[in-house]
Amino acid sequence: VPSDPRDGDDYWSSDDDDEENDNSQEEEQQQYSFPELTNQITSSINTLGGAVLPKLNWSCPKDATWVNNGTLKCRTPGDVFVLLKSSDFVMHDLSLSFDDADADADVDVDKNGSEEEKEEIKYELVLRKWCHLHPSMEFRCFVSNHDLVAISQRDHTNHFPHLSKNYLSIRCTILDFFDDTIQDVFSLPNYVVDVYVDKNDRVWILDFNVWGTQTDSLLFDWTELVSLQQQQQQQQLSQKKEEEEEEESIETMNTNPEMRIVQTELEVHYNPLASYRAPIDTVNLATDSNGSNSFQEFMKMCERPSQL
């Protein structure tokens, strides 16, 4: 008498799939709730006019705007949670924020204290009032030893013709603001600060960033910035020596930070966020480092008829 095939180890039953589906559904149905945080976010959004821009200690989730209609504008706690959860930048801040500190030794990056201090860092969710800013008037300023050494157009993926006519006056406006408002107030000697110049030539601080390769150098590269830093240090040493020789104090000020803008359409840079606008599996297939035709093989596999 033939044995019952159901006694074998390889026997398959639809009941097995049902049981697996039930288990997977239970895992998918697991939900998380943060009522206190949700209430705080809701209250903050209402206080700030109904729309905010979220960020953590260092980064905002600008790589995840594709899940929020292409914008960082958030009107509900759900918008904030989706952006934070979908952002690789935020994940890097939470788990890998200090991994590049030693690698940036040649850039003279300002490290954030000892290992014990790093472990004690308290992460904060920052909600800023949403404002409509024209990207052409955002600038990144590089500060070395308390002196402004370089200014870059922040949106280097576009050419704005009006900047070519006005960049000298914009540089003076930013330099005056830095001398009056930031230079003698901010404690760190080396840092990067983003500013915005409005139509009335008022300058607004947008953010502070680390002096190091974690921060995008935009129209400069970090070797150039290190060179400018060294030149500035040599200039300060020579001025100090002259003051000592003359036995009198002479107030000196850096009046000529190098400023770069996109002068023509040919100088437009590649958008570094472009690689975040597709599923990571697709990106990995398209950029296979093994030299194989993984993407073509994947497409051929999709064209095959189902064998189930």
Side-chain angles (χ1 to χ4, degrees), residues 83-136:
L83 280 174
L84 295 178
K85 184 177 182 296
S86 305
S87 172
D88 290 341
F89 292 177
V90 169
M91 180 59 66
H92 182 275
D93 279 3
L94 294 175
S95 57
L96 303 171
S97 56
F98 297 104
D99 282 13
D100 297 330
D102 293 332
D104 281 335
D106 293 337
V107 184
D108 194 23
V109 64
D110 286 323
K111 300 181 183 180
N112 296 293
S114 64
E115 293 298 328
E116 294 181 356
E117 291 174 334
K118 293 176 183 179
E119 293 176 358
E120 295 176 357
I121 283 184
K122 295 181 180 179
Y123 292 97
E124 297 180 352
L125 172 61
V126 179
L127 301 178
R128 294 178 173 174
K129 181 178 181 180
W130 178 262
C131 298
H132 295 281
L133 305 181
H134 196 287
S136 69

Side-chain angles (χ1 to χ4, degrees), residues 106 108 151 219 283:
D106 293 337
D108 194 23
I151 303 171
L219 294 175
V283 175

Side-chain angles (χ1 to χ4, degrees), residues 50-109:
V52 297
L53 181 153
K55 72 182 296 288
L56 290 189
N57 298 43
W58 295 286
S59 301
C60 70
K62 58 185 179 180
D63 59 317
T65 55
W66 58 275
V67 300
N68 193 45
N69 296 320
T71 180
L72 289 168
K73 185 177 183 178
C74 296
R75 296 182 179 275
T76 67
D79 295 340
V80 175
F81 292 146
V82 167
L83 280 174
L84 295 178
K85 184 177 182 296
S86 305
S87 172
D88 290 341
F89 292 177
V90 169
M91 180 59 66
H92 182 275
D93 279 3
L94 294 175
S95 57
L96 303 171
S97 56
F98 297 104
D99 282 13
D100 297 330
D102 293 332
D104 281 335
D106 293 337
V107 184
D108 194 23
V109 64

